[in-house]
Amino acid sequence: MDDTGFLVYDKDGDRAEGGTDAGRHRATATLTLRNGSWYVTSYTLKEAGTC
């Protein structure tokens, strides 16, 4: 996953400061099929540069 240029906001809708480094990351997702639709049930994002 490449999050270069992503903007991060907090729960109040304000721009969040800090966070992880932008760039390419290895991402792992687990999906579950329920009633004909796929749902993400877990998601792991590794540090930048692991992809």
Side-chain angles (χ1 to χ4, degrees):
M1 182 189 139
D2 187 351
D3 66 356
T4 302
F6 279 25
L7 300 177
V8 180
Y9 294 87
D10 65 20
K11 66 180 180 173
D12 297 321
D14 298 319
R15 180 82 189 279
E17 297 296 325
T20 60
D21 293 334
R24 293 181 180 183
H25 305 257
R26 182 184 308 194
T28 304
T30 302
L31 293 100
T32 303
L33 181 61
R34 289 188 216 150
N35 299 321
S37 296
W38 288 100
Y39 293 86
V40 176
T41 53
S42 70
Y43 183 80
T44 304
L45 184 66
K46 300 291 185 177
E47 62 276 354
T50 57
C51 171

